[in-house]
Structures are given as structure tokens and as C-alpha cells.
Amino acid sequence: MSGNGDAAATAEENSSKMRVIRVGTRKSQLARIQTDSVVATLKALYPGLQFEIIAMSTTGDKILDTALSKIGEKSLFTKELEHALERNEVDLVVHSLKDLPTVLPPGFTIGAICKRESPYDAVVFHPKFVGKTLETLPEKSVVGTSSLRRAAQLQRKFPHLEFKSIRGNLNTRLRKLDELQEFSAIILAAAGLQRMGWQNRVGQILHPEECMYAVGQGALGVEVRAKDQDILDLVGVLHDPETLLRCIAERAFLRHLEGGCSVPVAVHTAMKDGQLYLTGGVWSLNGADSMQETMQTTIHVPAQHEDGPEDDPQLVGITARNIPRQAQLAAESLGISLATLLLNKGAKNILDVARQLNDAH
């Protein structure tokens, strides 16, 4: 009889010693929702582990009176979270992938890229303009966006509108739209509105011919310490192969162009019948000059996973040992080839001028 009692006591002891995985996140409501969704998936996969969420503010959350492109800091929404990773205060961090620079600080890697939601941009209209589209808004209507990429493309497409910077988290921006009479509409990522449960506010979805999206938009990235093999194995199961390959191509394109949030660069990717298609473009700040090209590559997924020795498994900051290396290299190569093509056609000049103008304002 005492044997059963001992077993129960041991089980209880073990459960109280259950390993705790600490997950870092930004404090905004959207960041918490995104982190909760990743943690829920991990809990289902690993019922024997406990997860603790630690929320913190980042530089990008604190500086709200300046356009993102002017702050000139690549890791606006990630630096504080990376410090916590470095100091072992958290084991992994959930980010919007588009916030993660294409070159990560040494010692960090993206250990998982989750299945992408809609990568498109959405238009939310002021209540008095519900039912309109950007095309049918009155002349000189002011549209709010914090993104040079959106403003450049949309100015070119809708010259009758004016574009003005709007900052703050989703809740703040919607409040500014509804309560101030300053904006007729604002542009936000469709995925964020979806995750917040605010689909009913979407008045228009912008398709690639109107506005191509940001690199990595709509996908979540899980950042970890590059040498923490335990945690890399733990989160690696979250990789969505198609999203991963599309995002490797997009990030390689942006990295090779040396773009960031201070210049208008946008992409569109698709996987179809073993082909990966990448369209990429660069714009001048006012959208007057632009350059756009599309390329494709065959993604060969071997029947058997051939894993050779690798010195550095990272590609554009991403580690994915459970996805065929050959496919990852083909995606990276596609991004680099497209960037090279645009640079050879004069994209560097457009980007340099955009960067200088942005710095001067």
C-alpha cells in the first residue's frame, strides 16, 4: 500500500518540478494575443511543460511621436526582448516576423516561423466613409499610415489622396481614426486586425497590384538563443514549410538590397506546383519612381531528408533543421537573384535617394 503512496508522492514532486519555459513578448494587446496563440500550440504539443509569459515594453512602444522610419534603429521592437534572452531571463520570444531585422545580433536565431495569416494590408475607414474605397474617397482625404512602403505605393496609385504618419498600437490608431476628424482612413496589416477579432472594421483589402506587402508580414517568428539546442528542438516543430520558404526568399531579397524600414521595399510571394514565385519592388518616397520584377525557382523537396554537416545552419537569421536544406538554399538564392536583378537595373539609386530624403526630413 505504501508503494502506491510513494508513487503518488513522486509524481506530485515531479509535477512541482515541471520545467518552466519563459516566453518574452511586447506588452501590446496584439503582441499578447500572438504570444498566447504560440504558447497554446506549444502547450498542446508538450503537456509536460509549463509556460510563463513575461511582457515588456520596447523602444518602439515608447517613442510614439516620431515616424518609425525616422528613428533609425533596426531593432526598434526587439532590442529589449533580446536583452532578456541574452540574460537568460526568457527562453524564447514571439515577434511579428516583419519586426525582425534580416541580420540578427550574434547569438540569436529565429527558431520557428509559424503558418502565415493574410499578408495583405487592409483599409479601415472613418465611420462617415464606411462603404467607400480608397479610389472613391473625396479629393485631398488624409490617409494615416506609419509605413513608407504603403505611402509610396498608394500615393502612386491614388494621387488624389494625402498620406500622413500615424503611430501607436492598433487600439491607439483606431481611436485616433474614430475620435479625431483628421483621418478619413488608416492602413493596417490585415493579420493584426484578424488576430484582434476586428475583421468587421476592414473596409477594403489591398491586393498586390495596389500595394505589395512588407517582408514577413502576417507571419510570427520565434526568436531563441542560437546555441540553445533544447529550445531550438522544442520550437522547431512550429515551422510551417511553405511560410518558411516564402519568408526566406523575402528576407534574402531585403537583406541583399540593404533595405529596412527607412526605404520603401515590398514583396509578394506564392508557392504553386513546386515553384516559388517572388515579386519584389522598390519605390521613391513619393512613389514617382519605382522598379518591380518577378522571378521563380523550383523547390525540390527530396523524398528523404539528407542532412549534411553544417557549420552555420542559419539563413537570413533563421534556423530550420527539420526542413530540407536544399529547399531553403533555393529560396535564399531566389531572393538574392531578384535583388541583384533590381540593383543591376538601377534600384540602388532609387533607394539611396529615398534614404537621403527620409534622413533629411
Side-chain angles (χ1 to χ4, degrees):
M1 287 224 0
S2 67
N4 282 351
D6 289 349
T10 310
E12 200 175 316
E13 212 174 288
N14 286 348
S15 73
S16 67
K17 286 183 188 158
M18 199 185 261
R19 184 172 176 197
V20 178
I21 307 292
R22 296 149 310 160
V23 183
T25 176
R26 285 167 63 194
K27 277 184 174 165
S28 75
Q29 189 186 351
L30 175 60
R32 290 300 306 258
I33 287 171
Q34 293 178 167
T35 301
D36 288 347
S37 75
V38 170
V39 168
T41 307
L42 287 171
K43 274 182 177 166
L45 289 164
Y46 305 106
L49 295 177
Q50 275 185 325
F51 293 87
E52 180 190 345
I53 296 174
I54 297 166
M56 53 194 87
S57 293
T58 65
T59 308
D61 295 312
K62 291 169 192 160
I63 306 175
L64 292 175
D65 54 355
T66 310
L68 290 178
S69 57
K70 299 272 191 296
I71 302 171
E73 164 67 71
K74 272 199 176 132
S75 50
L76 270 182
F77 294 110
T78 58
K79 201 157 64 174
E80 284 78 359
L81 295 161
E82 282 169 346
H83 284 168
L85 256 184
E86 199 169 21
R87 293 191 299 260
N88 263 337
E89 291 164 10
V90 296
D91 300 301
L92 56 109
V93 175
V94 179
H95 300 279
S96 291
L97 185 61
K98 67 175 183 174
D99 290 340
L100 279 167
T102 54
V103 180
L104 296 184
F108 301 110
T109 188
I110 299 163
I113 293 179
C114 307
K115 189 170 173 57
R116 188 177 221 164
E117 290 194 40
S118 167
Y120 301 115
D121 288 315
V123 189
V124 178
F125 292 91
H126 186 281
K128 69 179 177 201
F129 291 120
V130 166
K132 295 268 189 200
T133 63
L134 289 181
E135 203 151 1
T136 59
L137 276 177
E139 191 83 22
K140 298 261 183 285
S141 290
V142 176
V143 176
T145 173
S146 57
S147 151
L148 295 178
R149 168 190 63 81
R150 291 170 181 150
Q153 292 181 80
L154 295 172
Q155 255 170 303
R156 184 184 176 92
K157 194 89 185 158
F158 305 104
H160 70 293
L161 301 175
E162 289 178 8
F163 293 86
K164 196 177 163 189
S165 177
I166 183 169
R167 287 287 320 281
N169 59 38
L170 282 190
N171 311 55
T172 307
R173 290 189 215 187
L174 282 174
R175 197 168 60 246
K176 284 181 181 175
L177 170 68
D178 292 343
E179 292 175 10
L180 308 176
Q181 296 306 309
E182 194 179 349
F183 299 101
S184 302
I186 58 176
I187 318 287
L188 300 164
L193 289 162
Q194 233 166 310
R195 289 180 187 129
M196 295 284 274
W198 292 341
Q199 297 91 324
N200 62 329
R201 290 301 309 261
V202 175
Q204 182 179 2
I205 292 285
L206 297 172
H207 292 292
E209 51 283 2
E210 296 164 309
C211 189
M212 290 202 296
Y213 41 84
V215 165
Q217 185 160 313
L220 300 179
V222 181
E223 190 178 17
V224 302
R225 289 178 290 273
K227 289 194 162 55
D228 195 339
Q229 199 50 55
D230 266 10
I231 298 291
L232 268 168
D233 292 344
L234 183 90
V235 302
V237 293
L238 298 174
H239 271 305
D240 176 67
E242 181 177 315
T243 303
L244 171 80
L245 296 172
R246 287 171 60 189
C247 289
I248 285 177
E250 293 171 17
R251 286 172 66 82
F253 171 71
L254 183 64
R255 181 197 267 190
H256 200 69
L257 277 180
E258 293 186 342
C261 65
S262 61
V263 287
V265 174
V267 291
H268 172 61
T269 47
M271 280 270 276
K272 199 175 174 214
D273 303 329
Q275 295 287 306
L276 174 59
Y277 298 84
L278 169 65
T279 302
V282 301
W283 286 262
S284 59
L285 288 189
N286 64 0
D289 286 338
S290 81
M291 199 174 279
Q292 227 172 289
E293 290 289 345
T294 301
M295 287 177 92
Q296 70 192 80
T297 191
T298 302
I299 295 291
H300 165 66
V301 179
Q304 215 174 343
H305 192 66
E306 69 321 329
D307 235 355
E310 294 159 16
D311 291 337
D312 179 14
Q314 284 200 44
L315 292 183
V316 284
I318 299 161
T319 302
R321 285 196 173 89
N322 52 341
I323 307 292
R325 182 78 177 163
Q326 213 176 324
Q328 294 183 57
L329 289 167
E332 183 191 43
S333 172
L334 176 65
I336 292 170
S337 301
L338 186 64
T340 304
L341 175 64
L342 286 180
L343 289 169
N344 291 343
K345 294 181 81 172
K348 190 173 182 341
N349 190 40
I350 294 176
L351 291 173
D352 285 347
V353 170
R355 211 171 265 121
Q356 285 158 9
L357 282 174
N358 184 54
D359 292 346
H361 280 294

